[in-house]
């Protein structure tokens, strides 16, 4: 065997195990530790709430409909425009109602003329009292019919029954209408409430008068409220009950249809550890969080969730107060890993 062979094999072995640095006696540099952001677990009095998805709704709203068949000859309303009670928002030209009023008016004119003639001769005793009363009765009937026909025709001037805002318009000018066809919806933004559904298994937690906190993501705010009504009949499909919550004050920018979250039970004095929902992970064995000890070493802690609140998830078991929970960078770590902590 060539005397150089052992040296070549040794060099190859050293190179495979550590490369040039190992051959020269230098240590390889360790990779930079992963940086994670942590939150020190602490107790909160708001940790026992139960959250439900809700929708902002107007307490007072109405849909205006076409009073008859006809043509929409004037549309004065615009979506988003404030309106006053009694304001004319649309005008429908109904030939059917106009003809009915014209006929009723002609009948009334004829009956009144006949009554004047009968009244003149009645004073002279030329007609009996029965004949006189019969003609008088026809006049009264004709007046009632004319008044009813005029009232129906007058309703073709579609007016707002409430103060509010035009939320939606379904019609356009010159549109041919049928009786009862929706024209527009008016809502009163001064009285808003939150509609939400509660599963039947949790209905006992919701009672009229209970305190609530309403989170409105679109406005980035939370407002206090109270349960206003509690449903008595469950939905056949979802087995949930429709409830409403009244809110305190009039938050600026709050509009019907906005999605929100209703949290109940926030007036309880219980305290529990609350962590962000984003910190909780799930695997085949259940829920867990990543924690970091005082030496910067990562560990997995199994937890049991106790409930939800507007500030996060309450932990019923598995986590101690003061432990550091990873809230950012949790997908880059594993048990036993050394990390750099950023609070």
């Amino acid at each position: 065997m060539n005397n150089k062979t052992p040296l070549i094999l040794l060099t190859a072995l050293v190179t495979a195990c550590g490369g040039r640095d190992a051959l020269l006696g230098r240590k390889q540099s360790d990779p930079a530790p992963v940086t994670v952001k942590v939150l020190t677990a602490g107790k909160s009095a708001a940790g026992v709430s139960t959250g439900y998805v809700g929708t902002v709704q107007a307490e007072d709203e109405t849909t205006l409909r076409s009073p008859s068949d006809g043509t929409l000859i004037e549309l004065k309303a615009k979506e988003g425009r404030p309106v006053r009670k009694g304001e004319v928002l649309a005008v429908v030209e109904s030939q059917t109602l106009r003809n009915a009023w014209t006929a009723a008016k002609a009948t009334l004119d004829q009956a009144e003329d006949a009554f004047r003639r009968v009244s003149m001769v009645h004073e002279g005793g030329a007609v009996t009292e029965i004949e006189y009363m019969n003609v008088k009765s026809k006049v009264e009937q004709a007046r009632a019919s004319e008044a009813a026909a005029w009232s129906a025709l007058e309703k073709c001037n579609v007016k707002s029954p409430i103060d509010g805002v035009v939320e939606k318009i379904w019609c356009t000018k010159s549109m041919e209408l049928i009786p009862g066809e929706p024209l527009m919806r008016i809502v009163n933004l001064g009285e808003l409430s939150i509609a939400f559904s509660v599963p039947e298994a949790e209905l006992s937690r919701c009672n009229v008068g209970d305190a609530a906190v309403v989170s409105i993501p679109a406005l980035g705010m939370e407002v206090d409220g109270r349960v206003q009504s509690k449903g008595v009949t469950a939905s056949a499909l979802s087995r949930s009950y429709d409830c409403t919550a009244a809110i305190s004050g009039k938050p600026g920018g709050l509009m019907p249809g906005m999605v929100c979250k209703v949290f109940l039970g926030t007036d309880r004095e219980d305290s529990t550890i609350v962590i962000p929902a984003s910190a909780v992970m799930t695997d085949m064995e259940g829920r867990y969080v990543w924690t970091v000890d005082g030496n910067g070493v990562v560990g997995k802690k199994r937890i049991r969730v106790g409930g939800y609140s507007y500030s996060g998830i309450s932990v019923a078991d598995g986590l101690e107060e003061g432990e550091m929970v990873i809230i950012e960078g949790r997908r880059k770590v594993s048990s036993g890993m050394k990390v750099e902590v950023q609070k």
Side-chain angles (χ1 to χ4, degrees), residues 29-88:
S29 59
D30 294 330
V34 173
T35 300
V36 297
K37 189 173 182 179
V38 302
L39 175 71
T40 302
K43 291 189 176 182
S44 169
V48 288
S49 302
T50 301
Y52 305 98
V53 176
T55 305
V56 180
Q57 66 176 11
E59 286 285 284
D60 191 9
E61 65 176 30
T62 183
T63 298
L64 303 185
R65 301 177 181 274
S66 175
S68 176
D69 59 333
T71 304
L72 184 63
I73 61 174
E74 193 170 1
L75 180 61
K76 300 182 179 181
K78 291 184 178 180
E79 290 185 2
R81 183 174 75 82
V83 296
R84 304 293 298 177
K85 181 179 180 180
E87 181 179 350
V88 177

Short mmCIF file of all heavy atoms in Angstrom, two decimals, residues 29-88:
data_model
loop_
_atom_site.label_atom_id
_atom_site.label_comp_id
_atom_site.label_asym_id
_atom_site.label_seq_id
_atom_site.Cartn_x
_atom_site.Cartn_y
_atom_site.Cartn_z
N SER A 29 -18.90 28.18 14.34
CA SER A 29 -19.77 29.12 15.07
C SER A 29 -21.19 28.56 15.13
O SER A 29 -21.70 28.03 14.13
CB SER A 29 -19.78 30.48 14.38
OG SER A 29 -20.23 30.36 13.04
N ASP A 30 -21.84 28.64 16.30
CA ASP A 30 -23.21 28.18 16.46
C ASP A 30 -24.17 29.13 15.74
O ASP A 30 -23.93 30.34 15.69
CB ASP A 30 -23.59 28.12 17.94
CG ASP A 30 -22.78 27.07 18.68
OD1 ASP A 30 -22.40 26.07 18.03
OD2 ASP A 30 -22.52 27.28 19.88
N PRO A 31 -25.30 28.60 15.17
CA PRO A 31 -26.27 29.49 14.51
C PRO A 31 -26.90 30.43 15.53
O PRO A 31 -27.04 30.11 16.71
CB PRO A 31 -27.30 28.51 13.94
CG PRO A 31 -27.17 27.27 14.78
CD PRO A 31 -25.72 27.19 15.13
N ALA A 32 -27.30 31.63 15.05
CA ALA A 32 -27.92 32.62 15.93
C ALA A 32 -29.22 32.07 16.48
O ALA A 32 -30.00 31.45 15.75
CB ALA A 32 -28.16 33.91 15.16
N PRO A 33 -29.49 32.26 17.78
CA PRO A 33 -30.73 31.74 18.36
C PRO A 33 -31.96 32.44 17.78
O PRO A 33 -31.90 33.61 17.39
CB PRO A 33 -30.56 32.03 19.86
CG PRO A 33 -29.61 33.19 19.91
CD PRO A 33 -28.67 32.98 18.77
N VAL A 34 -33.06 31.72 17.75
CA VAL A 34 -34.33 32.29 17.27
C VAL A 34 -34.81 33.32 18.29
O VAL A 34 -34.77 33.09 19.50
CB VAL A 34 -35.37 31.19 17.09
CG1 VAL A 34 -36.74 31.78 16.76
CG2 VAL A 34 -34.94 30.22 16.01
N THR A 35 -35.28 34.46 17.79
CA THR A 35 -35.83 35.49 18.67
C THR A 35 -37.34 35.33 18.75
O THR A 35 -38.02 35.21 17.72
CB THR A 35 -35.50 36.90 18.15
OG1 THR A 35 -34.08 37.05 18.09
CG2 THR A 35 -36.08 37.97 19.06
N VAL A 36 -37.85 35.28 19.95
CA VAL A 36 -39.30 35.15 20.16
C VAL A 36 -39.79 36.26 21.07
O VAL A 36 -39.03 36.81 21.86
CB VAL A 36 -39.67 33.78 20.78
CG1 VAL A 36 -39.29 32.65 19.85
CG2 VAL A 36 -39.02 33.62 22.14
N LYS A 37 -41.07 36.58 20.92
CA LYS A 37 -41.69 37.57 21.79
C LYS A 37 -42.57 36.84 22.78
O LYS A 37 -43.32 35.93 22.41
CB LYS A 37 -42.53 38.55 20.98
CG LYS A 37 -43.04 39.73 21.78
CD LYS A 37 -43.74 40.75 20.88
CE LYS A 37 -44.20 41.95 21.68
NZ LYS A 37 -44.86 42.96 20.81
N VAL A 38 -42.48 37.20 24.05
CA VAL A 38 -43.22 36.49 25.09
C VAL A 38 -44.12 37.44 25.86
O VAL A 38 -43.93 38.66 25.83
CB VAL A 38 -42.27 35.77 26.07
CG1 VAL A 38 -41.38 34.79 25.34
CG2 VAL A 38 -41.44 36.79 26.85
N LEU A 39 -45.08 36.84 26.53
CA LEU A 39 -45.98 37.56 27.41
C LEU A 39 -46.00 36.85 28.75
O LEU A 39 -46.17 35.63 28.80
CB LEU A 39 -47.39 37.61 26.83
CG LEU A 39 -48.48 38.25 27.71
CD1 LEU A 39 -48.25 39.76 27.79
CD2 LEU A 39 -49.86 37.96 27.15
N THR A 40 -45.80 37.60 29.82
CA THR A 40 -45.84 37.00 31.15
C THR A 40 -47.29 36.75 31.55
O THR A 40 -48.11 37.67 31.58
CB THR A 40 -45.17 37.91 32.19
OG1 THR A 40 -43.82 38.16 31.78
CG2 THR A 40 -45.17 37.26 33.56
N ALA A 41 -47.62 35.49 31.80
CA ALA A 41 -49.00 35.12 32.14
C ALA A 41 -49.43 35.80 33.43
O ALA A 41 -48.72 35.76 34.44
CB ALA A 41 -49.11 33.60 32.27
N GLY A 42 -50.59 36.42 33.38
CA GLY A 42 -51.13 37.09 34.56
C GLY A 42 -52.62 36.91 34.62
O GLY A 42 -53.27 36.58 33.63
N LYS A 43 -53.19 37.13 35.78
CA LYS A 43 -54.62 36.95 35.97
C LYS A 43 -55.38 38.23 35.62
O LYS A 43 -54.89 39.33 35.76
CB LYS A 43 -54.93 36.54 37.42
CG LYS A 43 -54.44 35.13 37.74
CD LYS A 43 -54.93 34.68 39.09
CE LYS A 43 -54.52 33.22 39.36
NZ LYS A 43 -55.03 32.73 40.65
N SER A 44 -56.64 38.02 35.17
CA SER A 44 -57.50 39.13 34.80
C SER A 44 -58.90 38.84 35.27
O SER A 44 -59.36 37.70 35.23
CB SER A 44 -57.48 39.34 33.28
OG SER A 44 -58.50 40.23 32.88
N ALA A 45 -59.62 39.89 35.69
CA ALA A 45 -61.01 39.71 36.14
C ALA A 45 -61.96 39.55 34.99
O ALA A 45 -63.12 39.26 35.16
CB ALA A 45 -61.44 40.91 36.98
N ALA A 46 -61.46 39.75 33.77
CA ALA A 46 -62.33 39.64 32.60
C ALA A 46 -62.15 38.30 31.90
O ALA A 46 -62.49 38.15 30.75
CB ALA A 46 -62.03 40.77 31.62
N GLY A 47 -61.63 37.33 32.61
CA GLY A 47 -61.29 36.09 31.95
C GLY A 47 -62.36 35.04 31.92
O GLY A 47 -62.08 33.92 31.55
N VAL A 48 -63.57 35.35 32.32
CA VAL A 48 -64.60 34.33 32.37
C VAL A 48 -65.76 34.65 31.43
O VAL A 48 -66.86 34.22 31.65
CB VAL A 48 -65.12 34.18 33.82
CG1 VAL A 48 -64.07 33.52 34.68
CG2 VAL A 48 -65.51 35.53 34.40
N SER A 49 -65.50 35.43 30.41
CA SER A 49 -66.56 35.81 29.50
C SER A 49 -66.79 34.77 28.43
O SER A 49 -65.92 33.98 28.11
CB SER A 49 -66.21 37.14 28.82
OG SER A 49 -66.02 38.13 29.78
N THR A 50 -67.97 34.77 27.87
CA THR A 50 -68.31 33.92 26.74
C THR A 50 -68.66 34.82 25.57
O THR A 50 -69.49 35.70 25.70
CB THR A 50 -69.50 33.00 27.08
OG1 THR A 50 -69.15 32.21 28.22
CG2 THR A 50 -69.83 32.10 25.92
N GLY A 51 -68.02 34.59 24.43
CA GLY A 51 -68.22 35.48 23.30
C GLY A 51 -69.16 34.91 22.26
O GLY A 51 -69.16 33.70 21.98
N TYR A 52 -69.99 35.77 21.66
CA TYR A 52 -70.92 35.38 20.62
C TYR A 52 -70.85 36.41 19.49
O TYR A 52 -70.71 37.60 19.74
CB TYR A 52 -72.36 35.32 21.15
CG TYR A 52 -72.51 34.40 22.35
CD1 TYR A 52 -72.53 34.93 23.64
CD2 TYR A 52 -72.63 33.03 22.18
CE1 TYR A 52 -72.64 34.09 24.74
CE2 TYR A 52 -72.75 32.19 23.28
CZ TYR A 52 -72.76 32.73 24.55
OH TYR A 52 -72.87 31.90 25.64
N VAL A 53 -70.94 35.93 18.27
CA VAL A 53 -70.93 36.82 17.12
C VAL A 53 -72.26 37.55 17.04
O VAL A 53 -73.33 36.93 17.13
CB VAL A 53 -70.67 36.03 15.82
CG1 VAL A 53 -70.75 36.95 14.61
CG2 VAL A 53 -69.31 35.35 15.88
N GLY A 54 -72.20 38.85 16.86
CA GLY A 54 -73.42 39.65 16.79
C GLY A 54 -73.40 40.59 15.60
O GLY A 54 -72.39 40.75 14.92
N THR A 55 -74.54 41.22 15.36
CA THR A 55 -74.69 42.18 14.26
C THR A 55 -75.42 43.40 14.77
O THR A 55 -76.42 43.29 15.50
CB THR A 55 -75.49 41.56 13.10
OG1 THR A 55 -74.86 40.35 12.69
CG2 THR A 55 -75.55 42.52 11.92
N VAL A 56 -74.94 44.57 14.40
CA VAL A 56 -75.60 45.81 14.78
C VAL A 56 -76.89 45.94 14.00
O VAL A 56 -76.92 45.71 12.78
CB VAL A 56 -74.69 47.03 14.49
CG1 VAL A 56 -75.40 48.31 14.90
CG2 VAL A 56 -73.36 46.89 15.22
N GLN A 57 -77.97 46.28 14.69
CA GLN A 57 -79.25 46.46 14.02
C GLN A 57 -79.95 47.70 14.54
O GLN A 57 -79.70 48.15 15.66
CB GLN A 57 -80.16 45.24 14.24
CG GLN A 57 -80.59 45.05 15.68
CD GLN A 57 -81.56 43.90 15.88
OE1 GLN A 57 -81.78 43.09 14.98
NE2 GLN A 57 -82.17 43.81 17.05
N ALA A 58 -80.80 48.27 13.71
CA ALA A 58 -81.58 49.45 14.10
C ALA A 58 -82.83 49.00 14.84
O ALA A 58 -83.53 48.08 14.40
CB ALA A 58 -81.95 50.27 12.88
N GLU A 59 -83.09 49.64 15.97
CA GLU A 59 -84.28 49.32 16.74
C GLU A 59 -85.55 49.74 15.99
O GLU A 59 -86.57 49.08 16.07
CB GLU A 59 -84.23 50.04 18.10
CG GLU A 59 -83.25 49.43 19.08
CD GLU A 59 -83.78 48.13 19.67
OE1 GLU A 59 -84.66 48.18 20.53
OE2 GLU A 59 -83.31 47.07 19.25
N ASP A 60 -85.47 50.85 15.26
CA ASP A 60 -86.63 51.39 14.56
C ASP A 60 -86.30 51.46 13.08
O ASP A 60 -85.45 52.25 12.66
CB ASP A 60 -86.97 52.78 15.09
CG ASP A 60 -88.32 53.28 14.58
OD1 ASP A 60 -89.05 52.48 13.96
OD2 ASP A 60 -88.64 54.47 14.80
N GLU A 61 -86.95 50.63 12.27
CA GLU A 61 -86.74 50.64 10.84
C GLU A 61 -88.03 50.28 10.12
O GLU A 61 -88.91 49.63 10.70
CB GLU A 61 -85.63 49.69 10.42
CG GLU A 61 -85.93 48.23 10.67
CD GLU A 61 -84.81 47.33 10.15
OE1 GLU A 61 -83.66 47.77 10.14
OE2 GLU A 61 -85.11 46.19 9.76
N THR A 62 -88.16 50.71 8.88
CA THR A 62 -89.38 50.43 8.13
C THR A 62 -89.06 50.33 6.65
O THR A 62 -88.13 50.98 6.15
CB THR A 62 -90.43 51.53 8.36
OG1 THR A 62 -91.64 51.20 7.68
CG2 THR A 62 -89.93 52.88 7.87
N THR A 63 -89.82 49.51 5.96
CA THR A 63 -89.69 49.37 4.51
C THR A 63 -90.89 50.03 3.83
O THR A 63 -92.04 49.68 4.12
CB THR A 63 -89.62 47.89 4.10
OG1 THR A 63 -88.46 47.29 4.69
CG2 THR A 63 -89.53 47.75 2.59
N LEU A 64 -90.64 50.99 2.96
CA LEU A 64 -91.70 51.66 2.22
C LEU A 64 -92.02 50.85 0.97
O LEU A 64 -91.11 50.41 0.26
CB LEU A 64 -91.28 53.08 1.84
CG LEU A 64 -90.86 54.00 3.00
CD1 LEU A 64 -90.58 55.40 2.48
CD2 LEU A 64 -91.91 54.02 4.08
N ARG A 65 -93.31 50.67 0.69
CA ARG A 65 -93.76 49.86 -0.44
C ARG A 65 -94.69 50.65 -1.35
O ARG A 65 -95.30 51.64 -0.91
CB ARG A 65 -94.45 48.59 0.06
CG ARG A 65 -93.56 47.72 0.94
CD ARG A 65 -94.29 46.51 1.47
NE ARG A 65 -93.43 45.69 2.33
CZ ARG A 65 -92.61 44.75 1.88
NH1 ARG A 65 -92.56 44.49 0.58
NH2 ARG A 65 -91.86 44.06 2.70
N SER A 66 -94.80 50.18 -2.56
CA SER A 66 -95.70 50.84 -3.50
C SER A 66 -97.15 50.65 -3.07
O SER A 66 -97.57 49.53 -2.79
CB SER A 66 -95.50 50.26 -4.90
OG SER A 66 -96.44 50.81 -5.81
N PRO A 67 -97.94 51.73 -3.01
CA PRO A 67 -99.33 51.61 -2.56
C PRO A 67 -100.24 50.99 -3.62
O PRO A 67 -101.35 50.54 -3.30
CB PRO A 67 -99.73 53.06 -2.29
CG PRO A 67 -98.87 53.86 -3.23
CD PRO A 67 -97.57 53.12 -3.30
N SER A 68 -99.81 50.99 -4.87
CA SER A 68 -100.65 50.48 -5.95
C SER A 68 -99.80 50.19 -7.19
O SER A 68 -98.59 50.45 -7.19
CB SER A 68 -101.74 51.52 -6.30
OG SER A 68 -102.52 51.10 -7.40
N ASP A 69 -100.44 49.66 -8.21
CA ASP A 69 -99.74 49.55 -9.48
C ASP A 69 -99.61 50.96 -10.09
O ASP A 69 -100.43 51.83 -9.82
CB ASP A 69 -100.50 48.63 -10.43
CG ASP A 69 -101.92 49.12 -10.70
OD1 ASP A 69 -102.47 49.82 -9.82
OD2 ASP A 69 -102.47 48.81 -11.77
N GLY A 70 -98.58 51.16 -10.86
CA GLY A 70 -98.38 52.48 -11.45
C GLY A 70 -96.93 52.71 -11.83
O GLY A 70 -96.11 51.79 -11.83
N THR A 71 -96.63 53.97 -12.15
CA THR A 71 -95.30 54.37 -12.58
C THR A 71 -94.68 55.29 -11.55
O THR A 71 -95.34 56.21 -11.05
CB THR A 71 -95.37 55.10 -13.94
OG1 THR A 71 -96.02 54.27 -14.90
CG2 THR A 71 -93.98 55.45 -14.44
N LEU A 72 -93.43 55.04 -11.22
CA LEU A 72 -92.70 55.90 -10.29
C LEU A 72 -92.25 57.15 -11.06
O LEU A 72 -91.30 57.09 -11.84
CB LEU A 72 -91.50 55.16 -9.71
CG LEU A 72 -90.69 55.91 -8.64
CD1 LEU A 72 -91.54 56.19 -7.42
CD2 LEU A 72 -89.46 55.11 -8.25
N ILE A 73 -92.95 58.25 -10.86
CA ILE A 73 -92.65 59.45 -11.65
C ILE A 73 -91.68 60.39 -10.96
O ILE A 73 -91.13 61.30 -11.59
CB ILE A 73 -93.95 60.22 -12.00
CG1 ILE A 73 -94.66 60.68 -10.71
CG2 ILE A 73 -94.87 59.35 -12.84
CD1 ILE A 73 -95.86 61.57 -10.98
N GLU A 74 -91.46 60.17 -9.66
CA GLU A 74 -90.51 61.04 -8.95
C GLU A 74 -89.88 60.26 -7.80
O GLU A 74 -90.57 59.58 -7.04
CB GLU A 74 -91.22 62.27 -8.41
CG GLU A 74 -90.29 63.36 -7.93
CD GLU A 74 -91.02 64.66 -7.63
OE1 GLU A 74 -92.26 64.72 -7.78
OE2 GLU A 74 -90.33 65.63 -7.23
N LEU A 75 -88.54 60.36 -7.68
CA LEU A 75 -87.80 59.71 -6.60
C LEU A 75 -86.91 60.76 -5.94
O LEU A 75 -85.95 61.25 -6.54
CB LEU A 75 -86.95 58.56 -7.14
CG LEU A 75 -86.12 57.78 -6.11
CD1 LEU A 75 -87.01 57.14 -5.06
CD2 LEU A 75 -85.25 56.74 -6.79
N LYS A 76 -87.25 61.14 -4.72
CA LYS A 76 -86.54 62.22 -4.03
C LYS A 76 -85.50 61.69 -3.04
O LYS A 76 -84.72 62.48 -2.51
CB LYS A 76 -87.54 63.11 -3.29
CG LYS A 76 -88.56 63.77 -4.21
CD LYS A 76 -89.49 64.67 -3.42
CE LYS A 76 -90.50 65.35 -4.34
NZ LYS A 76 -91.39 66.26 -3.57
N ALA A 77 -85.52 60.40 -2.78
CA ALA A 77 -84.63 59.84 -1.78
C ALA A 77 -83.29 59.44 -2.39
O ALA A 77 -83.21 59.12 -3.57
CB ALA A 77 -85.28 58.63 -1.12
N LYS A 78 -82.25 59.44 -1.54
CA LYS A 78 -80.93 58.95 -1.91
C LYS A 78 -80.39 58.13 -0.74
O LYS A 78 -80.61 58.49 0.41
CB LYS A 78 -79.98 60.10 -2.23
CG LYS A 78 -80.32 60.86 -3.50
CD LYS A 78 -79.27 61.93 -3.78
CE LYS A 78 -79.59 62.66 -5.07
NZ LYS A 78 -78.57 63.72 -5.37
N GLU A 79 -79.69 57.07 -1.05
CA GLU A 79 -79.14 56.22 0.01
C GLU A 79 -78.15 57.01 0.86
O GLU A 79 -77.30 57.73 0.34
CB GLU A 79 -78.44 55.00 -0.60
CG GLU A 79 -79.40 54.01 -1.22
CD GLU A 79 -78.71 52.74 -1.70
OE1 GLU A 79 -77.48 52.64 -1.52
OE2 GLU A 79 -79.39 51.86 -2.26
N GLY A 80 -78.32 56.87 2.17
CA GLY A 80 -77.46 57.58 3.11
C GLY A 80 -77.93 58.96 3.49
O GLY A 80 -77.33 59.60 4.36
N ARG A 81 -79.03 59.43 2.87
CA ARG A 81 -79.51 60.78 3.17
C ARG A 81 -80.48 60.76 4.34
O ARG A 81 -81.41 59.95 4.36
CB ARG A 81 -80.19 61.39 1.95
CG ARG A 81 -80.65 62.83 2.16
CD ARG A 81 -81.19 63.43 0.88
NE ARG A 81 -82.51 62.95 0.53
CZ ARG A 81 -83.64 63.44 1.05
NH1 ARG A 81 -83.61 64.41 1.96
NH2 ARG A 81 -84.81 62.96 0.67
N PRO A 82 -80.32 61.66 5.31
CA PRO A 82 -81.27 61.76 6.42
C PRO A 82 -82.63 62.24 5.92
O PRO A 82 -82.71 63.06 4.99
CB PRO A 82 -80.64 62.79 7.36
CG PRO A 82 -79.20 62.85 6.96
CD PRO A 82 -79.17 62.57 5.49
N VAL A 83 -83.69 61.74 6.51
CA VAL A 83 -85.05 62.14 6.15
C VAL A 83 -85.83 62.42 7.43
O VAL A 83 -85.49 61.94 8.51
CB VAL A 83 -85.77 61.05 5.32
CG1 VAL A 83 -85.06 60.85 3.99
CG2 VAL A 83 -85.83 59.73 6.09
N ARG A 84 -86.89 63.21 7.27
CA ARG A 84 -87.75 63.55 8.40
C ARG A 84 -89.10 62.84 8.26
O ARG A 84 -89.54 62.50 7.16
CB ARG A 84 -87.98 65.06 8.45
CG ARG A 84 -86.71 65.90 8.52
CD ARG A 84 -85.96 65.71 9.81
NE ARG A 84 -86.74 66.14 10.97
CZ ARG A 84 -86.32 66.02 12.23
NH1 ARG A 84 -85.15 65.44 12.49
NH2 ARG A 84 -87.07 66.45 13.22
N LYS A 85 -89.73 62.63 9.38
CA LYS A 85 -91.05 62.01 9.39
C LYS A 85 -92.03 62.87 8.60
O LYS A 85 -92.11 64.08 8.79
CB LYS A 85 -91.54 61.84 10.83
CG LYS A 85 -92.90 61.17 10.94
CD LYS A 85 -93.31 61.01 12.40
CE LYS A 85 -94.67 60.34 12.51
NZ LYS A 85 -95.08 60.16 13.92
N GLY A 86 -92.78 62.24 7.68
CA GLY A 86 -93.76 62.95 6.86
C GLY A 86 -93.20 63.49 5.55
O GLY A 86 -93.96 64.00 4.72
N GLU A 87 -91.89 63.38 5.34
CA GLU A 87 -91.28 63.88 4.11
C GLU A 87 -91.62 62.97 2.93
O GLU A 87 -91.53 61.75 3.03
CB GLU A 87 -89.77 63.97 4.28
CG GLU A 87 -89.02 64.51 3.08
CD GLU A 87 -87.53 64.60 3.31
OE1 GLU A 87 -87.09 64.42 4.48
OE2 GLU A 87 -86.79 64.83 2.33
N VAL A 88 -92.03 63.57 1.79
CA VAL A 88 -92.34 62.80 0.58
C VAL A 88 -91.04 62.35 -0.07
O VAL A 88 -90.18 63.16 -0.42
CB VAL A 88 -93.16 63.64 -0.42
CG1 VAL A 88 -93.40 62.83 -1.71
CG2 VAL A 88 -94.50 64.04 0.19
#
